[in-house]
Amino acid sequence: MRRAVCPGSFDPVTNGHLDIFGRAASLFDEVVVAVGVNKAKAASSGRLFSSEERMEMLAEAVRPWPNVRVQGFTGLVTDFCREIGAQAIVKGLRGSGDYDYELQMAQMNSHLTEVETVFLMTDPSMSFVSSSLVKEVASFGGDVSGLVPAHVHKLLTERLAERASQA
Ligand code: PNS
């Protein structure tokens, strides 16, 4: 059984993430989308959605792939890989900014364990998409409907409206 982990915060999941999950699902027997649920980090990082909400959105989004599942994790991603018997971490690379950051993490993870990091080049149509930019653009009323799944777009719009009404 070749198992891969796609780790991230997914606040929220985008179509760019889904492109990577789908391609990973064709390379591995099982793909586990691992959602960082570190509460200390969540509190300080301005997350829009709770870990439960992020995992629910992901579970709906990965439904088309029978070999992709969603699981929360705390602590080191390498420990999580060991716990669930995953041989690889799969990440998408959008460009040189991602590369510099991801190279360092991949090398640290390789120092910590035998887990391999596999990079998939982001589809060019998604190379400008990030959760942060989607949130920023949506918060100013920009159209992000083509960048996230429809159910995520609905929840994102509702959450931003709630936040705006509280401000
Ligand atoms: O979507 P993000 O915010 O880039 O995801 C970050 C995440 C959760 C993948 C990263 O913070 C992570 O792997 N955290 C677990 C802690 C860990 O293993 N840190 C060492 C990485 S070298």
Side-chain angles (χ1 to χ4, degrees):
M1 166 72 97
R2 309 301 296 175
R3 187 177 284 124
V5 162
C6 291
S9 46
F10 307 112
D11 185 46
V13 61
T14 68
N15 290 344
H17 294 130
L18 294 184
D19 171 54
I20 299 299
F21 301 160
R23 288 159 61 197
S26 66
L27 294 172
F28 290 87
D29 298 313
E30 185 177 59
V31 174
V32 179
V33 176
V35 183
V37 296
N38 185 328
K39 292 215 165 16
K41 191 182 170 199
S44 62
S45 64
R47 294 247 164 91
L48 194 57
F49 295 102
S50 69
S51 53
E52 292 79 11
E53 290 169 329
R54 288 180 274 134
M55 288 171 65
E56 276 171 25
M57 285 187 273
L58 277 161
E60 173 71 25
V62 303
R63 204 175 285 184
W65 299 287
N67 62 334
V68 181
R69 64 185 173 89
V70 179
Q71 195 172 331
F73 79 103
T74 54
L76 292 174
V77 71
T78 47
D79 288 341
F80 178 73
C81 289
R82 197 177 294 128
E83 271 165 43
I84 66 162
Q87 299 87 359
I89 295 169
V90 174
K91 294 254 183 134
L93 280 187
R94 287 167 296 200
S96 56
D98 279 354
Y99 176 81
D100 290 342
Y101 177 60
E102 295 291 347
L103 175 67
Q104 192 181 16
M105 285 211 288
Q107 289 172 335
M108 176 60 85
N109 287 334
S110 171
H111 171 78
L112 293 171
T113 180
E114 63 289 345
V115 69
E116 283 287 356
T117 302
V118 175
F119 291 115
L120 299 180
M121 301 307 145
T122 298
D123 186 283
S125 68
M126 291 286 139
S127 60
F128 61 95
V129 180
S130 71
S131 298
S132 318
L133 264 187
V134 161
K135 286 185 284 190
E136 181 178 329
V137 170
S139 74
F140 290 111
D143 181 7
V144 295
S145 57
L147 308 180
V148 293
H151 69 287
V152 172
H153 186 248
K154 180 172 179 288
L155 291 167
L156 178 63
T157 308
E158 286 168 6
R159 179 57 47 87
L160 289 170
E162 271 168 38
R163 291 277 170 101
S165 70
Q166 287 159 6

